[in-house]
Amino acid sequence: MGVAWSACYGTLGMPRGSGWDRISGARVATFGAASSDKRWSARNEMKNPFMARAIELSLENVKSGRGGPFAAVVVKDGKIVAEGTNRVTSTNDPTAHAEVVAIREAARALGNFELAGCDLYTTCEPCPMCLGAIYWARPAKVYFANTAHDAAKIGFDDRLIYEEFQLPHSRKRIPMGQLMREEALAAFQAWEKKHDKVKY
């Protein structure tokens, strides 16, 4: 660990040679929409036991009432190392989406904040928050079942968030304003000077 991001990762921040560094910027820009890319199409894949497990977890989550109809598993070396289901309503945690929960559990199980060599199987295309978490965790690949459009049809529509990304702070649905930048820069400067920092 501690190696600069750009040294080990491609322009999109994913492991070189994993396939992610060959995906065009256009593919990433449309991650929130259904993809017709046959390389990633579930229709062209045989039934996958890891995705099947994630789907099973999502159904159990609905029946139990613990959260939304989403689940994810993290796989390394052909074995599931962590599972996660949506726990937003049962834990009163708006960040407890299935992918985030699975990433947290996997990082804890592996003792590492990077999921190098891992694959993430999720029952739906990741929302913007989960997509950000995925990029920070840096798994090798992500596989999804339902599309963002499928999720929107049952009330989980992320289009507003994608639209908000394009707006200046003053025009966002939740207005944002900058305060005390000069004072806050002190922590950044301290980080830059810290010789024993652990980069991530």
Side-chain angles (χ1 to χ4, degrees):
M1 307 313 301
V3 179
W5 177 306
S6 59
C8 297
Y9 293 84
T11 56
L12 298 179
M14 301 308 296
R16 294 188 184 280
S18 66
W20 281 90
D21 54 328
R22 295 190 294 275
I23 300 174
S24 70
R27 173 67 181 90
V28 174
T30 59
F31 202 96
S35 171
S36 61
D37 189 335
K38 292 184 179 180
R39 293 172 300 174
W40 293 84
S41 173
R43 293 190 296 272
N44 295 333
E45 297 291 335
M46 295 177 62
K47 185 173 180 179
N48 184 285
F50 304 126
M51 186 62 79
R53 173 56 181 163
I55 293 170
E56 179 183 26
L57 288 169
S58 70
L59 287 167
E60 290 175 359
N61 210 50
V62 172
K63 293 175 183 177
S64 70
R66 287 190 293 265
F70 307 97
V73 300
V74 177
V75 175
K76 185 169 187 179
D77 299 327
K79 297 179 180 178
I80 294 176
V81 296
E83 300 178 338
T85 56
N86 183 286
R87 302 176 187 174
V88 171
T89 56
S90 60
T91 62
N92 293 319
D93 180 358
T95 70
H97 287 200
E99 296 94 329
V100 172
V101 172
I103 287 170
R104 289 172 179 167
E105 293 299 323
R108 187 177 296 113
L110 297 172
N112 200 319
F113 52 78
E114 288 186 4
L115 301 185
C118 294
D119 292 337
L120 175 68
Y121 294 79
T122 176
T123 57
C124 188
E125 267 189 292
C127 75
M129 177 183 70
C130 292
L131 186 58
I134 288 166
Y135 272 84
W136 280 109
R138 302 167 191 161
K141 283 187 179 180
V142 176
Y143 299 93
F144 62 88
N146 294 315
T147 67
H149 181 66
D150 295 328
K153 288 194 293 186
I154 61 167
F156 298 94
D157 194 343
D158 297 322
R159 284 179 298 178
L160 170 65
I161 301 175
Y162 286 106
E163 292 169 358
E164 290 280 294
F165 285 152
Q166 310 302 319
L167 298 176
H169 295 313
S170 61
R171 291 181 54 203
K172 293 184 188 299
R173 181 75 61 92
I174 301 175
M176 298 184 182
Q178 188 174 26
L179 294 172
M180 298 180 66
R181 176 176 178 269
E182 294 302 319
E183 291 83 351
L185 281 172
F188 283 13
Q189 293 162 356
W191 175 260
E192 281 190 309
K193 296 175 182 177
K194 186 175 175 62
H195 298 298
D196 60 343
K197 61 180 171 245
V198 178
K199 296 182 180 180
Y200 61 95

